[in-house]
Amino acid sequence: MIIKIHEGSERVNDVWSALSDGTRREILTMLRDRDMTAGEIADRFELSKATVSHHLSILKQAGLITGEKKAQTITYRLNTTVFQDFMRSVATLFHREGE
């Protein structure tokens, strides 16, 4: 079996890392339903706002979410394009040459 290394494999690694944490997966699930401010997200957890901010930063770095700042408020939304690209990359891991 030949495993093809794709361009953007660093992005794939960032996504794997971001998805490895349950809190970050929960944030993604919340954003699936609607855009939310950082404060709204933080209010759903018994974590410090700094900890939630760190999780948001990791998700943003992986490209799984985007943030739009208006005045003092940042509103986050799910970036489905990056997630779809990630899923295609995962699928290629299990693709055998000639299939």
Side-chain angles (χ1 to χ4, degrees):
M1 176 169 63
I2 299 172
I3 297 176
K4 298 178 182 177
I5 304 298
H6 296 277
E7 287 185 37
S9 61
E10 189 170 318
R11 170 62 61 101
V12 172
N13 290 339
D14 287 346
V15 173
W16 275 117
S17 179
L19 293 174
S20 70
D21 183 85
T23 299
R24 292 191 288 269
R25 290 191 304 271
E26 193 169 338
I27 291 169
L28 292 173
T29 300
M30 292 183 322
L31 292 174
R32 181 184 60 199
D33 298 329
R34 68 180 182 91
D35 298 350
M36 298 177 76
T37 66
E40 290 172 323
I41 295 168
D43 288 345
R44 302 260 183 119
F45 295 97
E46 292 184 10
L47 301 170
S48 72
K49 290 187 188 238
T51 299
V52 172
S53 178
H54 177 71
H55 285 298
L56 291 169
S57 176
I58 291 170
L59 290 168
K60 193 171 177 183
Q61 178 181 340
L64 291 167
I65 64 173
T66 61
E68 182 179 334
K69 187 171 184 173
K70 289 185 181 176
Q72 299 298 317
T73 303
I74 301 175
T75 301
Y76 291 95
R77 74 178 39 88
L78 196 59
N79 185 355
T80 56
T81 302
V82 169
F83 190 75
Q84 290 167 350
D85 290 346
F86 171 74
M87 293 305 294
R88 277 191 288 277
S89 294
V90 169
T92 64
L93 290 174
F94 300 102
H95 176 75
R96 293 184 191 198
E97 203 59 40
E99 286 186 352

